[in-house]
Every structure is written in structure tokens, then in C-alpha cells.
Amino acid sequence: MNIGDVSERSGLPAKTIRYYEDIGLIRPQRGDNGYRRFDGADVHKLVFLARARSLGFTIEDCRALLALYEDRRRASADVKHVAQEHLTSIDRKIVELQTMRAALSDLVTRCHGDDRPDCPILEDLAGPVEEPTERPADGPQR
Amino acid sequence: MNIGDVSERSGLPAKTIRYYEDIGLIRPQRGDNGYRRFDGADVHKLVFLARARSLGFTIEDCRALLALYEDRRRASADVKHVAQEHLTSIDRKIVELQTMRAALSDLVTRCHGDDRPDCPILEDLAGPVEEPTERPADGPQR
DNA sequence: CTTGACCTTCCAGCGACTGGAAGTGCCATC
DNA sequence: GATGGCACTTCCAGTCGCTGGAAGGTCAAG
């Protein structure tokens, strides 16, 4: 099978498949014309990679998972460990985004969004308005 | 003020501040010794940038926001628009991560995580087990 | 024989920094 | 004045996971 077919079957762009070979995730054979020749096992691995990437695993995670996948004597604990760590990092990212979202959403609702210049979003970004500690005679007295 | 002081006040690494100058977000003066000299306005902008980046705005968003911040005749609608778009993209990312999280979390709970090799995580990654359409004489008949 | 689709390699770029090397300046102490 | 130690400078390379594009070779159809 040529790279085009494999690309279609795995859903991965040909460029990505070449890249995966580059970094040693797969090792397809080569034909006399120099074309890559993929067999069933290669396609299988690429499908595996596509799925793992879609779950957000890093390339290095994928490499580890692929090694475990190929090792019939693996311990499922090893697999679970990798997945668990990844789950934790996803959770961290979700929290981070939700924190951003909360702050931003508050600012957006407080902004009129008309043609006047005053805007709570810019005010927030500019930081706390420092009160003039110098020149106290200038402000309104009471 | 030298870059070290500004770094401390803005919370941005000196490297990042130099980078921001590189890409034209700030234009500090230079002293006779070649050192960057930052004034109050520069520090203000850097604080602004730090806050905007912490809300997840891209550098290009920051550039636009900074321009609006400096334009006293801006319309708050323009600011709101940028923020709104960013909010939408944050929401997209959250959904994406939550989708991953759900799938992954399911796999993790279903994996025993012991020293045996069978593992629902790997099974999922490997994709659906294709049933043997060839050699129909091999399967159980009914 | 030509066309056009497919394949190859190689290099550059994305975003937003970050690390490190090599060199200069500043300030304090001896 | 020499020395030490830090802060500052520039420049280049690397991160991650691709993606685009150039320049060229291969193959099957018409």
C-alpha cells in the first residue's frame, strides 16, 4: 500500500505519516521506486496513533503506548499509569481554561460594547488604577 | 529603569520583554551603554500585556488590544469584539478537552491496572477488532 | 508522448517563548 | 588598578507537532 491509501485509511495526512517515520514511530518498507510500502501492521499502528493523538496524548506518550501495545507481556498498570498522568494534565488544563473563562466572561458582560471609549475590559487589563500618592494638594479636599 | 527592575514589576521574564520588543509590542529607549531604559508607560504596557496573556489572548490580540488601549477614541465595541471571539475559542477548547477527558476517564476506570497484560485502554486505541470476513469456515456456525 | 496524479526529499515556518553561549558594563571590594 | 560577580547585550538553536511549498522522480491513462 502507498502512503495515499494509508492516509485515507488512518485519517492521517500523508505529511504526518512521513513525519512519524522521521521520528521513528513507524518503519515502513520501501519499494524499488523509493516509495514507502505499508503493510497491515503499519496501518494498524497509524490508526492507533491517530486515536491516541485524538485523546491528546503527546508523541512521547504515543511512543510509550505503542511499545506497550506491542509488548504482549506488558502490565496493564503501566498503560494505566500513562493514561492517568495524561488525565491529570487534561484536568489541569480544563481548570486553567475555566479560570480564564470566568474572568473573561465577567469582563465581556460588563462591557457595553457601543461606540463610547470607556471599557471595563481595558480597565482590567491596565491593572489597578494607582491613586496619586504624590502631589496631595491637587486632589479634591474635604 | 533597567530590564531587571521592569521584569520584577511586570512579572515577565527579561527574555520575554526582549522578545516583545523584537516583535514591536514595546519600544523602550536605549541608554549610552546600550542598555534598554524603560519608563512608566513601558512598564504599564508590560503589565497590560502580562495580564492579557494570562487571560489567554494571543500576541496578535494583545497587539490589537494595546492599540485600542492607547486610542482614547476607541469604541468599546471593538474591544468587546476581540474579547468575545477569544471567549468563544476558549469555550471550544474546553469542550474539546472535556470530550477527551470523558473518553479517557472511562478507559482509565475500566483498566484494572495490575500486572496482567489485558487492557481496555490499548484495546480502545487499537480500534475496533475487525471480525474475520475471510475464512468463514473457521467461526462458530449456527 | 503528454498529462496529471502521486510519490520523493529537503527546508522553512507556525506561536510564544526559553536556554545557552559569548561578549560588555557596572559596582564593590581588596 | 585588579578582581569578582552580577546584570546587561546579541545571536542562534530548540521546543511541539505538524504544515506548506519547492523541486524533482514515477506511474497509469489516453
Side-chain angles (χ1 to χ4, degrees):
Chain A
M1 244 189 304
N2 283 346
I3 202 168
D5 310 312
V6 181
S7 168
E8 213 164 326
R9 281 178 207 224
S10 65
L12 292 168
K15 280 258 178 194
T16 299
I17 296 172
R18 290 193 195 101
Y19 172 68
Y20 287 172
E21 185 189 10
D22 245 40
I23 61 173
L25 287 180
I26 48 165
R27 303 190 185 283
Q29 303 283 110
R30 293 289 179 135
D32 294 344
N33 51 13
Y35 287 18
R36 290 166 184 83
R37 275 194 302 108
F38 298 85
D39 61 20
D42 291 322
V43 177
H44 227 92
K45 281 200 209 174
L46 287 168
V47 169
F48 183 101
L49 289 168
R51 174 79 178 133
R53 290 290 298 130
S54 83
L55 286 175
F57 285 104
T58 64
I59 290 286
E60 286 317 303
D61 281 348
C62 288
R63 199 188 296 280
L65 289 171
L66 209 46
L68 288 167
Y69 178 57
E70 309 239 273
D71 175 9
R72 294 229 227 91
R73 300 149 52 123
R74 77 211 154 218
S76 64
D78 294 342
V79 183
K80 186 166 184 168
H81 179 74
V82 174
Q84 191 74 261
E85 295 261 288
H86 179 43
L87 190 54
T88 305
S89 96
I90 287 180
D91 282 341
R92 262 200 313 272
K93 279 181 205 153
I94 290 176
V95 167
E96 198 180 329
L97 284 173
Q98 280 172 340
T99 306
M100 279 182 192
R101 205 221 112 90
L104 195 57
S105 150
D106 173 56
L107 293 176
V108 165
T109 43
R110 291 204 283 112
C111 174
H112 301 107
D114 54 23
D115 53 1
R116 285 171 300 169
D118 59 304
C119 172
I121 300 171
L122 292 181
E123 278 161 29
D124 177 277
L125 293 176
V129 181
E130 64 240 44
E131 35 217 272
T133 49
E134 302 294 319
R135 309 201 310 121
D138 207 49
Q141 314 294 317
R142 55 188 159 97
Chain B
M1 245 190 301
N2 283 347
I3 201 167
D5 310 312
V6 180
S7 168
E8 212 164 326
R9 281 176 206 229
S10 66
L12 292 169
K15 277 261 178 191
T16 299
I17 297 172
R18 289 193 196 101
Y19 173 67
Y20 286 173
E21 184 189 11
D22 245 40
I23 61 172
L25 286 180
I26 47 165
R27 302 190 185 285
Q29 303 284 109
R30 292 292 179 134
D32 292 345
N33 52 12
Y35 286 17
R36 290 168 184 81
R37 277 195 300 109
F38 298 85
D39 61 20
D42 291 322
V43 177
H44 226 91
K45 279 199 209 176
L46 287 168
V47 169
F48 184 100
L49 288 168
R51 173 80 178 130
R53 290 289 300 128
S54 83
L55 286 175
F57 285 103
T58 65
I59 290 285
E60 285 318 303
D61 281 348
C62 289
R63 200 189 295 278
L65 290 170
L66 209 46
L68 288 167
Y69 178 58
E70 310 239 271
D71 176 10
R72 295 231 226 86
R73 300 150 50 124
R74 77 207 154 224
S76 65
D78 293 342
V79 182
K80 186 166 183 167
H81 179 74
V82 173
Q84 192 74 260
E85 296 261 289
H86 179 44
L87 190 55
T88 304
S89 96
I90 287 180
D91 282 342
R92 262 200 313 272
K93 280 180 204 153
I94 290 177
V95 168
E96 199 180 328
L97 284 172
Q98 280 172 340
T99 307
M100 280 182 192
R101 204 220 112 90
L104 195 57
S105 149
D106 172 57
L107 293 176
V108 165
T109 44
R110 289 204 285 112
C111 175
H112 301 107
D114 55 21
D115 54 0
R116 284 171 298 168
D118 58 303
C119 171
I121 301 171
L122 292 180
E123 278 161 29
D124 176 279
L125 293 176
V129 182
E130 63 242 39
E131 35 215 276
T133 49
E134 301 295 318
R135 308 200 311 122
D138 209 47
Q141 312 296 314
R142 54 182 157 101

